Amino acid sequence: MIAYIIRRLLYAIPILIGVNVITFTLFFVVNSPDDMARVHLGVKRVTPEAIRKWKEERGYDKALLYNGAAAGAQAFTDTIFYEKSVKLFAFEFGRSDQGRDIGYDIGNRMWASLAIALPVFLLGLAAYLTFALLMAFFRATYVDFWGVVACVMMMSISGLFYIIGGQYLVGKLLNLVPISGYDGGANALKFLVLPVIIGVVSGIGASTRWYRTIFLEEISKDYVRTARAKGLSELRVLFRHVLANAMIPILTGVVVVIPLLFMGSLVTEAFFGIPGLGSYTIDAINSQDFAVVRAMVFLGSVLYIVGLIVTDISYTWVDPRVRFE
Amino acid sequence: MPSPVLRVVLIAAALAAGCSGAPWNDPYPHTEASRNILYTSFSERPKHLDPVQSYSENEYVLIANIYQPPLQYHYLKRPYALVPFAAAEMPRALLYDAKDRRLPDNADAKEVAYSDYVIRIRPGILYQPHPALAQDARGRYVYHDLKPGDLDGVHAVGDFKQAGTRELAAADYVHQIKRLAHPRLHSPVMQLMGEYIVGLKALAQELAEAEKAAARAGRRGGLLDLTRFELAGAQVVDRYTYRVRVRGKYPQFVYWLAMPFFAPVPPESDRFYAQPGMEERNISLDWFPVGTGPYMLTVNDPNRQMVLERNPHYKGEVYPAEGEPGDAEAGLLKDAGHPLPFIDKVMFALEKEQIPYWNKFLQGYYDASGIASDTFDQAVQFSGQGDVTLSEDMQARGIRLQTSVATTTFYLGFNMLDPVVGGTGERARKLRHAISIAIDQEEMISIFRNGRGIAAQGPIPPGIFGYREGKEGINPYVYDWADSAPRRKPVEAAKKLLAEAGYPNGRDAKTGEPLLVNLDTTGTGPDAKSRLDWYAKQFEKIGVQLAVRATDWNRFQDKLRKGNVQLYFLGWNADYPDPENFLFLLHGAQSKVRTAGENASNYENPEFDRLFERMKNMANGPERQALIDRMVEITRRDAPWVWSLFPMDYTLHHAWVKNRKPNTMANNGLKYQRIDPALRTRMRREWNQPVLWPVALGGALIVLSLVPAVVTFRRRERQTARVS
Amino acid sequence: MPFKIVILWTDALIYLLVVVVLLLAWHVRRHEHLAAPWRKVARSPGGLAAAALLALFVVIGLADSVHYRPSVAVKDGKTVYAVEVLSLLDAIAAPLRARKEKTYSAPLATRLFAKETIELPGGGQARDYPRLKHGGAHLEQPEEQWASDIARRALWGAAAGVVLWLVLAILLCALLARRAGADVDEIWRAIWRGETEVPWRAVLVTLAVVLVAGMPLLALAAKYHVFGTDKVGQDVFYQSLKSIRTGLVIGTLTTLVMLPFALLLGVMAGYFKGWVDDAIQYLYTTLSSIPGVLLIAAAVLMMQVYIETHPELFDTVTARADLRLLFLCVILGITSWTGLARLLRGEALKLREMEYIQAAHAFGVSHWRILTRHILPNVMHIVLIAVVMDFSGLVLAEAVLSYVGVGVDPSTISFGTMINSARLEMARDPMVWWSLAAAFCFMLLMVLSANLFADAVRDAFDPRIRTARPFRLAAQKA
């Protein structure tokens, strides 16, 4: 088991290098260091001299991937790519191109992202599973039929409409909660209500339908019939047996997103003015802060890989038959 | 599992129990409701707060209230007038010739070798409390010699236990002027000021050398002690007096003295912030300013909010007693003579999205519109005559509106190097005039700015010296004077000009090919598409095809630099209210392609350039007016720009905000404003009564719809039992 | 010639797609085992109704994919063509396109949305809502005539819809009757009793709803702006129609572009195993671990740079915008092929252990032949299901991307750009809601019918397979 995890972690290294190369290439095809300097130095009265100094200070005056002028291994190490990428592997994100400490900013903003993403995830999972079980329970009745219709309707609506509509209805017409904003500590509660509800509601359609399919598939299996034949009540069958047996497909879809909850969500955070990592990323793209973009991509990839590994491990928890060599 | 709706009820009930009486949707802690706090917003994180680096309006909104340059703009008077701020009186330029002989004030610019500005500041001005100035009993600075462990747990300036102050000295102003040349700070005005301030370029050179030497010695970063260097052009005369020496005659220099570039910065702060570990913790002057102004920045969290609080040591300034005509009627003079500032704390909240922003304003959670927001444009209707109509709902809420002429111009430039639209030939000029007529600025103003602007007749906006009103002020190539108002020439005139230019019906007379004009722009924002569609519609009127090439800002800049555009859209915010600051945008020496200057049209007219050189350093008067008239006429005839519009500034605010008047030149208006928190609390409560019945109804519906399901469930349970 | 046909990149691919679909249909018809599941799709009432609705969208989209440049003049025997590229839809809806107002007007309005200063005929000025140039311009006394005129037109439209529907229904019956050799009347009754094998009743009901709702719309659109006008006075109904093509292109071409990669790499990884598998797995793990939006943003910006540096390649604005659209499809394809590839790899891993494949190996059949003749046909149902399921997700993703600012070109009309500009309109006072509402309705109809159709396809082809990845979709939406 431990050997398996270690092997998977080692396997992650080439992937992360690949991710770095891709981000790096994409970003520098688009933005020359000159462009970046110009964006950061402002609009009025920018001189070539200032651009040169800006690049020099932040180490963008070197060759991108291969330094023909340097000798030996230096040809690869004395480049922007090497200088900027190696430290990432030690989770040293360095300073953003605006001069801020990225690690500190990420640490700060992570909690706001999590404050939205975690409740959405947990409440959502509970709600979707409940709805799906209910629909499975009432299969072939009007509840199931209209439930599916409602799900398909709901998943056909763009997420943007949920946000705009929710803000309009709850925030403006009903005056129940603040429309947007954020605060630390317990005060955060009133700001979280609306985005969390919208987050949960916007996911109902797709997720409920998906879990329903899984449950229906399980229900058609023999052990369910046996359980029923033994005289177990339908509810007990559903919640004890079907749910437990449906865990593997559920885990496959669910566990991998848990680490990514840290990354926040782009549109929700922008709409509700929540200072999380999602808005951090969008700001970085818009202001062409390569250091931040690179750090966020790296972080995202790491979390994704962690998610994959955790998924594998979680199989052993729900199904003792799964073993790793 | 409670349904989502039920959850709202539960949480809302819990909230309501916690803060009885207060509206549920109040985004601020309810304890703050009745305090003397102004709530406003910002939409973009400021890049720089260091006064030598900061050069954009969204940063000035903050630091103009923190720093205290020698001069400031009068809050109420229009046209804009400078008054002393930290200075004791307005400085006067003393002119000298090359042999150091004093010249009379009206001396010809050619004879003047340099001008001296002697600035005397008021004694007794104190800095805001700040750890960089904290001293112990023996007068030693507490935090100037930090040990490695001292910064543990410190993430902001507020985390230091002690703070101190000291009196403002003339040396602080001189120090700041030296900071313009700091090699690591990249002041955007360094190049420009280097041309004027004596010895600044040499200082920059010297400092760069010192920096390199330090780097060679293994000391990268760290303090570059400016007090060890001398700047010939900026000298301390005595504790309260300093002298700035600029080359030649430069009457516009006083305007610069009202900008944060010339605000005081104590050398202690440089020493404080340069200590090891500070930068790693994001503690720098760029993040935590040290000023003498009416407010100080106490919370700097650009992800969420910025908070300005009253500087406890600020005193000695009172509300102005006079303004422009109409100010008294608008109630702007009621507070004359009261000490400033009125408001204890100003909270800027981050608001990126328009919908929540606008709704929170209507709910009373923002006291006034922020700077430059599209949303507020939408809400306010202006008629052509300048009278304003707010919607009935807004009038009922007591929302007020103030307008003012801005010192900004928007223009649609032609690239004069382009073979089709550029050049000084007769054909190209007629083409440009035809396009100028076709683009109906009046419609643009009414659709996109709700009448909030004036169609431009030339490069100089109203309120700036050189602007001419009425009949002689119109652009005769685009407008006729009819019924005592300028009237745009009819589209037929444009078509005729187009035919004369060789494109009858928008097609090349020789080849028959349709004429295609490219407009380069930065197409972002929700409004971009409509705007581009509108431009295409204008060109359609004369049968010309407009191809819009939307791109990002970098690419757009790049194309301008390479002269790779035909038409482009730009605007200019004046640095100071002087015609020179507008006309230089057309000066040949500023050509973007040739010299990377600000003349993006690459317009070059020898006569214009010659006149510009003469006009530049002249004092306002009939002679200057004549020169400007001539220059404006040249540009109108050559039409390097489609003179688009001068926007009108406005502010929208609630009834409880007093003394608010838009002022584009100065951003330090916070200290004049006053609020009535009691009224605000009342109105907020009135407007934000929670509406619960839809929630209850929704909950009831869900419960009802589940009843048959439960019945079925029961029946089936029993059935199963029976069958088995 | 009065016009010159212009074939844009996306047009060409759409034509290709149509040809492929037709060929496949022909192929399927001739093979009973392939046709059987499709017959099952045809027997599901929901699926068939959705297909009918979707077909309407496809027709509109196809009409909008035939582009041409009208001629403007003849000079020295040479025809000169306009720079503007129009489509067949533009030609059909020419009145909608051409009738521009000055600025906002509400749905079916006769006056502008905002007050303006109007010069009175006898001199002097007044502030009022000015009449529209086109919307309801035929009314002399709009205040009195408006309601009756609307009602009259709507009724006429509905009546026309009913008549049209009757004609179509009778035609269908006649056709079925001829084929079955039965009486028209019998068939008619069989349809309504739901006794036909193919649930024609569902189709006819859908058709009835579409016609009775759609014809009044068209009747009103002749004289009014049914969905109002936008900020610069363009008809919102027309924009909604134009958005359909963008949505369809994104939804279909993306899969078309990514399909070869996903198929080839996924099947190869599963079939060959060993280092090929490792390399392909490495590739897709790397790609899928990069946050999608970042990848798309960077790639779209890159595309812009390319377009900017090669202006000579694009003779028209439409061509530029089109290339960006295509590129968006490509990059969306790159971010979404990994999921399908993973599924196919799993399936191929299973299949290669099957006896008949082992037998083929033993007989020395080449890898290529095994792949194309034995493996590929056996994974096609997965591909089909993935394609139809992805469609709606992609249409929704476009809206979010355009909203974030990395979507289609600003000059392309799409649901995303419509929602994006509606941001400001929602904040107006009084609110301008119709652009958003129109985008919402059209998008909902399109995505809903796609989802229902996809469901039917999935049920017919493989009730067990699960291809929905709800969390990815949810993440894209939020």
Side-chain angles (χ1 to χ4, degrees):
Chain A
M1 177 82 177
I2 291 185
Y4 173 79
I5 295 175
I6 291 175
R7 211 178 62 228
R8 289 290 299 263
L9 284 176
L10 285 178
Y11 186 62
I13 292 175
I15 292 177
L16 291 177
I17 295 177
V19 167
N20 256 326
V21 174
I22 292 176
T23 344
F24 188 85
T25 321
L26 277 178
F27 203 87
F28 278 102
V29 167
V30 180
N31 297 287
S32 68
D34 280 43
D35 287 341
M36 291 162 62
R38 252 176 232 117
V39 168
H40 287 278
L41 289 172
V43 179
K44 280 173 156 183
R45 304 187 199 274
V46 177
T47 58
E49 174 64 13
I51 290 173
R52 195 188 55 72
K53 277 192 199 152
W54 186 92
K55 289 197 295 182
E56 190 185 305
E57 242 169 59
R58 285 165 182 74
Y60 286 118
D61 54 344
K62 300 191 169 127
L64 285 178
L65 276 168
Y66 178 78
N67 186 355
Q74 284 242 311
F76 293 101
T77 55
D78 195 25
T79 58
I80 299 181
F81 177 67
Y82 184 83
E83 296 254 303
K84 301 268 166 196
S85 302
V86 168
K87 280 188 190 151
L88 285 181
F89 286 90
F91 287 91
E92 266 180 43
F93 297 118
R95 318 189 62 72
S96 75
D97 294 333
Q98 302 214 352
R100 302 268 302 158
D101 182 6
I102 297 175
Y104 178 74
D105 273 358
I106 289 181
N108 249 348
R109 283 169 164 262
M110 193 175 75
W111 301 111
S113 281
L114 219 52
I116 300 273
L118 203 62
V120 169
F121 174 76
L122 293 177
L123 290 177
L125 196 63
Y128 309 152
L129 285 177
T130 316
F131 290 149
L133 279 171
L134 274 176
M135 279 159 71
F137 179 73
F138 290 115
R139 62 194 172 276
T141 66
Y142 82 99
V143 178
D144 186 34
F145 178 76
W146 288 109
V148 174
V149 171
C151 283
V152 177
M153 282 290 258
M154 288 182 79
M155 63 186 274
S156 303
I157 297 173
S158 169
L160 297 172
F161 288 112
Y162 285 105
I163 299 178
I164 295 174
Q167 275 187 340
Y168 187 73
L169 185 76
V170 179
K172 181 160 162 79
L173 294 185
L174 305 185
N175 292 330
L176 293 182
V177 288
I179 290 179
S180 72
Y182 190 73
D183 206 343
N187 283 335
L189 191 66
K190 61 181 170 189
F191 296 104
L192 295 181
V193 176
L194 191 55
V196 167
I197 290 177
I198 289 175
V200 171
V201 170
S202 65
I204 284 183
S207 304
T208 305
R209 206 171 65 126
W210 154 250
Y211 293 134
R212 172 184 166 272
T213 328
I214 296 176
F215 290 142
L216 284 185
E217 197 177 305
E218 282 299 319
I219 283 177
S220 64
K221 288 196 175 151
D222 286 343
Y223 71 89
V224 176
R225 226 170 296 153
T226 317
R228 272 202 216 114
K230 268 171 40 186
L232 291 185
S233 79
E234 185 74 20
L235 266 190
R236 207 174 153 75
V237 172
L238 270 182
F239 278 87
R240 284 293 298 278
H241 299 273
V242 172
L243 187 57
N245 278 290
M247 262 344 247
I248 288 235
I250 293 176
L251 283 176
T252 313
V254 165
V255 177
V256 82
V257 297
I258 295 175
L260 289 173
L261 295 179
F262 283 95
M263 301 286 288
S265 105
L266 306 174
V267 180
T268 313
E269 286 182 13
F271 255 103
F272 288 98
I274 289 156
L277 288 179
S279 49
Y280 191 49
T281 316
I282 282 287
D283 286 353
I285 295 178
N286 290 337
S287 64
Q288 312 208 337
D289 198 323
F290 176 59
V292 176
V293 171
R294 192 188 53 228
M296 290 309 292
V297 169
F298 184 80
L299 198 65
S301 313
V302 169
L303 291 173
Y304 178 77
I305 291 166
V306 169
L308 289 182
I309 298 175
V310 176
T311 307
D312 281 355
I313 297 170
S314 69
Y315 291 156
T316 60
W317 297 335
V318 297
D319 190 345
R321 285 170 302 177
V322 177
R323 289 268 181 281
F324 298 110
E325 293 132 37
Chain B
M1 186 63 230
S3 69
V5 182
L6 201 62
R7 273 204 299 278
V8 185
V9 182
L10 292 177
I11 295 172
L15 284 174
C19 40
S20 50
W24 293 6
N25 58 357
D26 189 345
Y28 313 113
H30 65 276
T31 46
E32 284 182 1
S34 54
R35 287 186 53 201
N36 188 10
I37 304 177
L38 182 83
Y39 294 99
T40 178
S41 69
F42 66 104
S43 61
E44 204 183 333
R45 74 190 282 167
K47 279 183 184 154
H48 298 291
L49 296 178
D50 187 326
V52 299
Q53 284 176 291
S54 169
Y55 200 11
S56 78
E57 205 172 335
N58 66 329
E59 297 155 2
Y60 278 8
V61 167
L62 292 165
I63 67 167
N65 295 297
I66 298 171
Y67 286 105
Q68 200 175 10
L71 307 178
Q72 65 179 339
Y73 289 93
H74 194 281
Y75 184 54
L76 301 172
K77 278 187 187 162
R78 302 290 182 278
Y80 291 103
L82 287 172
V83 290
F85 192 7
E89 74 274 306
M90 288 297 289
R92 203 171 62 121
L94 309 176
L95 308 181
Y96 294 92
D97 69 4
K99 293 193 187 96
D100 228 354
R101 277 181 309 222
R102 178 79 201 275
L103 293 171
D105 285 357
N106 58 0
D108 193 70
K110 276 192 225 84
E111 292 168 35
V112 180
Y114 45 85
S115 349
D116 272 0
Y117 290 83
V118 178
I119 299 149
R120 211 157 53 77
I121 55 168
R122 279 184 288 128
I125 296 176
L126 292 176
Y127 276 102
Q128 67 176 73
H130 194 277
L133 302 172
Q135 290 172 315
D136 62 12
R138 276 175 295 174
R140 281 182 317 197
Y141 288 107
V142 182
Y143 298 115
H144 279 206
D145 207 9
L146 295 174
K147 311 277 173 304
D150 290 353
L151 282 174
D152 291 347
V154 172
H155 279 287
V157 156
D159 294 338
F160 291 96
K161 283 192 194 68
Q162 295 182 47
T165 185
R166 76 160 165 81
E167 196 191 16
L168 174 69
D172 301 337
Y173 286 93
V174 172
H175 183 71
Q176 164 77 348
I177 297 173
K178 287 184 199 162
R179 292 179 86 243
L180 291 172
H182 196 295
R184 259 176 276 145
L185 294 177
H186 314 298
S187 179
V189 294
M190 171 56 208
Q191 191 148 32
L192 184 80
M193 284 301 137
E195 299 295 326
Y196 285 111
I197 297 177
V198 174
L200 196 64
K201 267 188 184 165
L203 178 68
Q205 207 94 52
E206 232 180 296
L207 290 173
E209 293 295 325
E211 180 87 344
K212 271 191 202 129
R216 270 197 299 274
R219 282 179 284 117
R220 255 186 183 277
L223 176 69
L224 180 61
D225 190 0
L226 297 176
T227 51
R228 290 192 291 112
F229 296 86
E230 277 297 308
L231 174 59
Q235 299 284 338
V236 178
V237 177
D238 61 46
R239 186 169 164 74
Y240 300 112
T241 316
Y242 68 104
R243 187 178 61 224
V244 183
R245 172 163 285 194
V246 295
R247 274 197 201 91
K249 194 174 173 182
Y250 187 37
Q252 289 87 10
F253 186 69
V254 284
Y255 295 119
W256 288 102
L257 290 177
M259 293 175 82
F261 295 114
F262 289 87
V265 166
E268 291 93 328
S269 76
D270 275 2
R271 204 162 301 138
F272 173 75
Y273 285 121
Q275 296 179 86
M278 287 285 194
E279 212 189 332
E280 286 72 43
R281 287 178 164 71
N282 301 327
I283 302 177
S284 66
L285 191 67
D286 213 14
W287 205 253
F288 297 106
V290 191
T292 57
Y295 288 96
M296 55 191 194
L297 187 70
T298 49
V299 177
N300 183 355
D301 180 4
N303 312 327
R304 199 156 67 79
Q305 58 175 10
M306 317 279 275
V307 176
L308 291 182
E309 271 178 82
R310 180 200 285 267
N311 171 5
H313 302 312
Y314 188 79
K315 55 183 185 293
E317 197 184 3
V318 295
Y319 194 88
E322 50 183 341
E324 69 175 327
D327 281 352
E329 291 75 17
L332 285 169
L333 293 178
K334 280 194 194 135
D335 284 323
H338 276 275
L340 301 177
F342 292 104
I343 294 168
D344 292 335
K345 188 168 159 184
V346 184
M347 210 192 84
F348 295 82
L350 176 69
E351 202 65 75
K352 280 193 201 159
E353 285 294 324
Q354 307 289 351
I355 303 171
Y357 182 25
W358 174 241
N359 286 333
K360 273 159 113 175
F361 174 71
L362 286 185
Q363 289 174 338
Y365 294 123
Y366 287 126
D367 295 326
S369 60
I371 47 150
S373 163
D374 292 334
T375 311
F376 292 82
D377 292 2
Q378 316 287 329
V380 188
Q381 297 273 335
F382 286 69
S383 70
Q385 284 69 43
D387 50 321
V388 176
T389 50
L390 291 174
S391 71
E392 277 162 25
D393 179 43
M394 280 158 64
Q395 281 172 356
R397 283 176 184 235
I399 293 172
R400 314 267 169 85
L401 186 98
Q402 288 280 327
T403 57
S404 166
V405 184
T407 46
T408 304
T409 175
F410 290 126
Y411 57 92
L412 187 70
F414 295 100
N415 179 11
M416 296 302 277
L417 303 177
D418 185 82
V420 179
V421 298
T424 45
E426 185 68 23
R427 271 185 65 166
R429 203 166 57 224
K430 285 199 162 142
L431 174 59
R432 290 197 295 269
H433 281 150
I435 293 175
S436 307
I437 295 172
I439 300 179
D440 188 346
Q441 302 299 343
E442 286 76 13
E443 191 179 297
M444 167 65 132
I445 291 166
S446 98
I447 293 180
F448 288 96
R449 325 201 113 247
N450 290 67
R452 196 175 54 86
I454 305 164
Q457 305 286 346
I460 299 176
I464 301 289
F465 182 82
Y467 173 79
R468 278 196 181 274
E469 231 173 312
K471 192 165 188 266
E472 66 267 36
I474 68 163
N475 177 359
Y477 300 95
V478 179
Y479 287 88
D480 292 321
W481 186 257
D483 304 334
S484 63
R487 174 165 292 168
R488 181 168 291 274
K489 287 184 195 276
V491 177
E492 284 67 42
K495 284 184 173 158
K496 189 162 158 278
L497 279 170
L498 196 65
E500 285 167 24
Y503 301 99
N505 299 319
R507 290 196 296 277
D508 194 318
K510 286 196 210 91
T511 61
E513 290 285 338
L515 176 62
L516 177 74
V517 181
N518 294 309
L519 171 67
D520 282 277
T521 168
T522 52
T524 52
D527 222 12
K529 186 171 160 40
S530 331
R531 229 169 255 267
L532 303 183
D533 286 346
W534 184 83
Y535 274 108
K537 201 168 138 188
Q538 304 306 306
F539 278 78
E540 227 168 66
K541 287 196 292 202
I542 51 170
V544 176
Q545 270 288 317
L546 181 75
V548 179
R549 299 193 292 204
T551 180
D552 60 308
W553 174 250
N554 270 339
R555 223 60 53 200
F556 176 65
Q557 287 282 310
D558 200 48
K559 287 173 125 187
L560 283 183
R561 255 193 323 277
K562 292 186 180 135
N564 208 355
V565 296
Q566 270 188 322
L567 255 76
Y568 63 92
F569 193 73
L570 268 185
W572 176 256
N573 262 334
D575 292 316
Y576 41 80
D578 191 87
E580 182 264 345
N581 201 254
F582 286 93
L583 292 171
F584 93 107
L585 295 169
L586 292 165
H587 189 207
Q590 283 281 340
S591 164
K592 194 117 208 161
V593 171
R594 233 162 26 82
T595 63
E598 295 292 346
N599 177 358
S601 277
N602 305 301
Y603 173 65
E604 249 179 304
N605 180 311
E607 193 192 350
F608 180 90
D609 291 353
R610 210 180 55 243
L611 293 171
F612 179 82
E613 291 298 342
R614 272 182 60 201
M615 180 280 303
K616 189 167 81 170
N617 298 331
M618 214 177 245
N620 289 345
E623 198 189 345
R624 198 173 194 214
Q625 178 71 56
L627 283 180
I628 291 172
D629 285 348
R630 178 76 199 120
M631 291 168 74
V632 169
E633 164 56 25
I634 293 171
T635 56
R636 279 176 183 159
R637 184 169 172 277
D638 284 346
W641 296 352
V642 176
W643 319 104
S644 296
L645 60 103
F646 305 123
M648 218 144 71
D649 274 333
Y650 70 98
T651 121
L652 205 56
H653 56 85
H654 284 292
W656 56 80
V657 182
K658 319 274 191 230
N659 303 339
R660 201 172 157 94
K661 180 169 180 174
N663 183 332
T664 31
M665 289 321 300
N667 290 297
N668 62 354
L670 283 179
K671 60 186 172 189
Y672 304 101
Q673 294 171 37
R674 189 161 59 77
I675 51 169
D676 178 354
L679 179 64
R680 177 168 68 188
T681 313
R682 214 174 60 231
M683 298 318 272
R684 277 188 186 169
R685 204 162 284 183
E686 195 177 301
W687 295 339
N688 294 295
Q689 284 306 316
V691 185
L692 277 175
W693 64 265
V695 181
L697 189 71
L701 275 179
I702 289 180
V703 171
L704 274 181
S705 69
L706 278 178
V707 168
V710 173
V711 173
T712 324
F713 161 69
R714 282 267 167 83
R715 197 185 308 142
R716 195 186 278 188
E717 282 287 88
R718 256 175 268 131
Q719 231 169 34
T720 321
R722 240 195 343 263
V723 169
S724 57
Chain C
M1 247 201 326
F3 57 85
K4 180 165 98 180
I5 293 286
V6 176
I7 296 183
L8 302 171
W9 275 102
T10 50
D11 290 344
L13 286 171
I14 284 176
Y15 302 154
L16 179 71
L17 192 69
V18 171
V19 169
V20 168
V21 168
L22 288 178
L23 281 178
L24 276 178
W26 181 71
H27 180 74
V28 164
R29 268 187 80 102
R30 297 184 28 162
H31 293 83
E32 176 51 31
H33 69 285
L34 293 177
W38 282 111
R39 234 173 269 136
K40 218 166 141 194
V41 175
R43 276 197 293 273
S44 114
L48 207 60
L53 200 56
L54 209 52
L56 184 71
F57 281 110
V58 171
V59 168
I60 295 174
L62 283 176
D64 203 8
S65 299
V66 180
H67 287 102
Y68 65 97
R69 283 163 67 176
S71 73
V72 282
V74 180
K75 187 98 189 171
D76 309 333
K78 215 177 76 191
T79 321
V80 177
Y81 298 101
V83 195
E84 202 177 11
V85 176
L86 296 176
S87 75
L88 204 56
L89 181 72
D90 292 333
I92 298 169
L96 286 185
R97 192 172 64 90
R99 285 193 316 226
K100 288 180 188 165
E101 306 295 343
K102 184 176 169 193
T103 176
Y104 288 119
S105 68
L108 299 175
T110 57
R111 291 176 181 278
L112 274 186
F113 189 58
K115 275 189 180 175
E116 269 183 15
T117 308
I118 307 171
E119 308 263 335
L120 295 176
Q125 291 172 328
R127 275 186 76 71
D128 198 3
Y129 301 101
R131 279 291 294 273
L132 294 181
K133 268 187 278 178
H134 306 287
H138 60 293
L139 302 178
E140 273 164 21
Q141 296 291 325
E143 277 67 32
E144 286 127 50
Q145 300 167 338
W146 182 77
S148 62
D149 189 62
I150 297 275
R152 200 164 45 85
R153 279 171 195 280
L155 277 177
W156 272 114
V162 171
V163 171
L164 195 61
W165 179 78
L166 273 176
V167 171
L168 287 174
I170 290 168
L171 269 179
L172 176 79
C173 288
L175 207 73
L176 289 176
R178 245 188 76 186
R179 211 198 258 174
D183 208 23
V184 176
D185 195 38
E186 259 171 59
I187 294 285
W188 176 259
R189 255 175 282 141
I191 288 179
W192 287 111
R193 269 184 256 120
E195 285 165 359
T196 45
E197 192 196 3
V198 175
W200 289 113
R201 188 171 56 176
V203 178
L204 284 181
V205 169
T206 317
L207 202 63
V209 171
V210 169
L211 282 176
V212 173
M215 289 305 286
L217 216 59
L218 290 184
L220 288 170
K223 289 290 179 190
Y224 295 92
H225 301 287
V226 226
F227 286 113
T229 53
D230 73 353
K231 193 165 194 167
V232 287
Q234 292 164 332
D235 194 284
V236 174
F237 183 44
Y238 170 73
Q239 293 186 338
S240 310
L241 289 177
K242 293 288 277 184
S243 301
I244 291 173
R245 176 180 187 265
T246 317
L248 286 174
V249 165
I250 298 254
T252 54
L253 291 194
T254 301
T255 25
L256 187 74
V257 171
M258 67 126 175
L259 212 51
F261 295 97
L263 260 179
L264 197 71
L265 295 177
V267 171
M268 268 170 61
Y271 179 74
F272 289 111
K273 302 226 284 197
W275 69 268
V276 179
D277 189 20
D278 285 345
I280 292 169
Q281 274 205 61
Y282 171 74
L283 186 67
Y284 73 58
T285 318
T286 307
L287 274 179
S288 56
S289 70
I290 300 178
V293 178
L294 288 181
L295 198 64
I296 293 167
V300 166
L301 284 175
M302 200 173 82
M303 181 62 194
Q304 269 188 359
V305 178
Y306 178 80
I307 292 176
E308 293 305 335
T309 42
H310 299 83
E312 70 283 354
L313 292 180
F314 314 101
D315 48 349
T316 57
V317 192
T318 321
R320 270 165 60 98
D322 181 70
L323 199 71
R324 178 153 167 186
L325 180 63
L326 179 66
F327 193 75
L328 192 66
C329 292
V330 172
I331 189 68
L332 274 171
I334 289 176
T335 53
S336 63
W337 70 274
T338 51
L340 181 59
R342 189 172 313 198
L343 275 177
L344 290 174
R345 172 181 169 270
E347 198 63 19
L349 271 175
K350 253 188 274 166
L351 286 173
R352 77 188 296 274
E353 305 300 334
M354 291 287 192
E355 282 97 356
Y356 68 97
I357 305 249
Q358 297 294 338
H361 266 300
F363 284 121
V365 180
S366 74
H367 285 312
W368 178 247
R369 213 178 145 73
I370 293 181
L371 277 180
T372 51
R373 295 305 296 269
H374 300 294
I375 304 241
L376 216 51
N378 281 307
V379 297
M380 276 327 269
H381 64 283
I382 299 183
V383 173
L384 185 74
I385 293 168
V387 168
V388 288
M389 300 288 293
D390 273 355
F391 175 84
S392 51
L394 289 167
V395 176
L396 294 177
E398 185 274 330
V400 173
L401 288 179
S402 296
Y403 176 84
V404 176
V406 292
V408 295
D409 191 85
S411 66
T412 311
I413 302 173
S414 81
F415 293 124
T417 47
M418 279 174 79
I419 298 173
N420 195 14
S421 35
R423 266 202 284 182
L424 283 183
E425 296 168 359
M426 286 287 290
R428 282 181 77 101
D429 192 59
M431 196 165 74
V432 172
W433 47 269
W434 45 88
S435 281
L436 196 73
F440 174 80
C441 293
F442 273 73
M443 215 169 147
L444 179 68
L445 274 182
M446 187 157 133
V447 177
L448 188 61
S449 53
N451 274 333
L452 290 174
F453 182 68
D455 267 10
V457 170
R458 194 191 53 183
D459 288 343
F461 278 80
D462 194 339
R464 281 174 301 116
I465 202 90
R466 296 185 299 259
T467 41
R469 290 176 296 278
F471 270 97
R472 205 198 68 184
L473 288 179
Q476 270 175 3
K477 270 201 247 165

